Amino acid sequence: MTSRAKILGLVALLLAVGVAVATVLYASRNSDAPLPGFSVNGAPLVAAHAFAARDVAAIEIATGAESFRLERASGGWAVASKDGFPARQDRVAALMQNVLSATVLYDRRIQQTELSRFGLQPVTELGNSAVRISLRDGDDASLIDFRVGNVMSLPGGSDMETLIALPEEHRIAVLDRDLGLSWSSDAWLRRVDF
């Protein structure tokens, strides 16, 4: 190969790399996502047919202050960590409905070390305001496990969106809704009138 052919090949390679870099930069600047580094997604949080509400046998909820577990019982749901006291069925149904019908508006790949930047570090860390939610099947295997972070209102978005982390997928996402529940174990206890 002559030196002229080598130079032309090198120029062509550099030109191709330059076009690729310019395309990536242009696409990231012109993204419809209102958050830097996020991409528009539009897919459901839970893929169709991945699981249904009837497949969920337990729900684990952990905050910086406490952890508790809801379990499906013969008469509905119970708060296992409160001696099996009956749970508020409306709250459980609302959580299931919100998780199963949520849409991911925007998402981005992330390293585990970056989670604290978004307030989504592990629940056990001091100063963390995130809540860990794990929906589990009858064999106690995880159906979905994620951390709920800040509720926000983004330009051009719905009234309230929620930032979540899906640590197993190395991804954070903005949902199209506020999951809208109190995360205290007492708020899940069914009121009993005597």
Side-chain angles (χ1 to χ4, degrees):
M1 199 182 223
T2 67
S3 63
R4 181 179 172 149
K6 288 180 183 178
I7 292 173
L8 286 175
L10 182 60
V11 168
L13 178 65
L14 290 174
L15 184 60
V17 168
V19 168
V21 168
T23 302
V24 168
L25 289 175
Y26 178 78
S28 67
R29 280 193 205 157
N30 292 318
S31 170
D32 290 333
L35 297 170
F38 283 73
S39 301
V40 174
N41 185 306
L45 173 62
V46 176
H49 309 296
F51 66 89
R54 68 181 174 277
D55 299 326
V56 179
I59 302 169
E60 293 177 349
I61 299 173
T63 69
E66 67 175 330
S67 297
F68 60 98
R69 182 178 171 101
L70 305 165
E71 292 180 349
R72 191 181 296 270
S74 59
W77 285 85
V79 184
S81 53
K82 296 278 187 175
D83 297 324
F85 196 85
R88 289 189 52 187
Q89 306 305 306
D90 59 326
R91 283 190 179 267
V92 175
L95 176 61
M96 298 281 218
Q97 174 63 29
N98 283 337
V99 169
L100 292 172
S101 63
T103 299
V104 175
L105 298 175
Y106 317 106
D107 66 350
R108 71 176 277 189
R109 296 304 231 172
I110 193 166
Q111 297 298 318
Q112 296 293 340
T113 55
E114 296 178 274
L115 288 171
S116 61
R117 219 174 104 206
F118 295 92
L120 293 165
Q121 63 267 31
V123 174
T124 55
E125 289 186 16
L126 289 176
N128 185 25
S129 60
V131 175
R132 181 181 159 266
I133 299 173
S134 181
L135 303 184
R136 309 188 77 76
D137 67 13
D139 296 326
D140 208 30
S142 176
L143 296 167
I144 186 169
D145 193 272
F146 60 97
R147 294 184 200 139
V148 179
N150 297 326
V151 176
M152 64 192 108
S153 186
L154 297 173
S158 61
D159 290 340
M160 296 303 254
E161 295 99 356
T162 303
L163 183 64
I164 67 164
L166 297 151
E168 292 175 1
E169 299 176 22
H170 299 282
R171 183 167 70 115
I172 58 174
V174 177
L175 298 183
D176 65 341
R177 67 195 63 221
D178 174 10
L179 295 179
L181 298 166
S182 169
W183 303 115
S184 158
S185 62
D186 291 339
W188 292 80
L189 297 172
R190 186 169 71 202
R191 188 174 170 183
V192 178
D193 295 321
F194 294 101

